[in-house]
Every structure is written in C-alpha cells, then in structure tokens.
Amino acid sequence: VGPGAYGAMPKLPDGTQLIGVGKPEFSSFYVNSDSITLDGFLFHWAGAQGASDTHNVFTADGTVGFSVINSEFRGSPDNNGMARGRGLRITTTCMNSLVEGCNFNTWARGAGVNGRGVTFRGNEITNIRSDGLNTGVGEDYLIALNYFHDFALV
C-alpha cells in the first residue's frame, strides 16, 4: 500500500497481509478476520473531541493470528489539550496476537490487550495520559522489551 490517507480500513478477508510503503494512513480499523498482518502503517485518529478515555478506534476482535508490526498508533488531543481514546484494543476472543515494533503516542491509554497467546514486544509508548498498557482476561502473555516514557496530561 503506497503513501496517502485512506480513511477507515475496509474489511479484510482471512489471510490478508498488508505492507505499507511510506507509512500510509488509516483513520480506523475493525479487524475480525483470521491471519491478518499489518506492517508499516500510520493509524491516526483525529476525533478526540467528546470521546471517552476508553474509546476504541483500532480494534481486533475474534481473530486468530492478528499481527501489527512496525506501525504507529497516533491519537490527538481534544480542544482542551487532553488526549482521549485507546490506541489499540485486542479483545478477549482473540488468539495468537502480535504487536511488535510499534509506537503509541498521544492517547489517554496506549493499548488494551486480552485473549490468548498475546505478544506485545519492542514497542514505544509515549505521551500517554493514563495507562500505557492494560491487560485483562487472557493467558499466555509475553510482554517484553517495551519502552514506556513521558506520560503527561496531553
């Protein structure tokens, strides 16, 4: 996928591998297909005004084999300068998820991961207003080599 702003990501069929060149941008995604890989994207949400701190714009739900690598999840502050929403949400019905080499910045919460077999490795989480990473119902988590820094009221 070449450079450009594409709006909301369309539904992806099972087995889709998307590789971005020049950080193509999507404003939202809801992935519920299996064996999906997203590599090299900017996931940018600019709709913070009026949203809750746990608003999910980028969600994987009910997937087996969801991977997002080498990508940036960028939020936006609202009119009062407060970051809102959550950078990425992986639900309890997901299995074998990988989040690696990603940057999460300018959110109320960086990421929320659940499910079975989640690997969250080598990511940078910065300019987050509250929680950098939430975990919930799940098992077999590997959370390693992440860099959490510069939490602030953004």
Side-chain angles (χ1 to χ4, degrees):
V1 179
Y6 293 93
M9 182 176 284
K11 179 168 175 47
L12 302 173
D14 289 352
T16 299
Q17 180 179 15
L18 293 179
I19 299 173
V21 176
K23 290 281 187 204
E25 180 179 334
F26 286 96
S27 60
S28 65
F29 69 66
Y30 181 85
V31 174
N32 61 352
S33 303
D34 294 338
S35 301
I36 301 296
T37 299
L38 306 173
D39 182 355
F41 289 91
L42 169 59
F43 301 112
H44 182 210
W45 181 56
Q49 193 61 35
S52 73
D53 289 352
T54 57
H55 182 77
N56 299 310
V57 182
F58 303 102
T59 301
D61 183 23
T63 66
V64 176
F66 170 77
S67 298
V68 60
I69 55 179
N70 306 316
S71 295
E72 178 183 356
F73 290 84
R74 183 188 307 159
S76 298
D78 65 13
N79 292 341
N80 297 318
M82 301 292 281
R84 301 285 181 196
R86 183 179 359 234
L88 175 64
R89 176 79 166 122
I90 298 175
T91 68
T92 58
T93 55
C94 293
M95 293 175 40
N96 304 328
S97 302
L98 171 66
V99 181
E100 187 170 46
C102 293
N103 178 285
F104 295 83
N105 65 79
T106 319
W107 296 98
R109 298 169 188 241
V113 298
N114 296 288
R116 292 191 343 222
V118 176
T119 299
F120 192 88
R121 178 177 49 217
N123 301 293
E124 181 176 7
I125 300 92
T126 184
N127 293 322
I128 304 295
R129 192 166 56 83
S130 181
D131 303 330
L133 177 65
N134 294 114
T135 60
V137 176
E139 58 187 47
D140 296 327
Y141 290 172
L142 172 62
I143 300 170
L145 304 172
N146 298 292
Y147 181 37
F148 296 83
H149 63 98
D150 296 323
F151 283 55
L153 291 177
V154 293

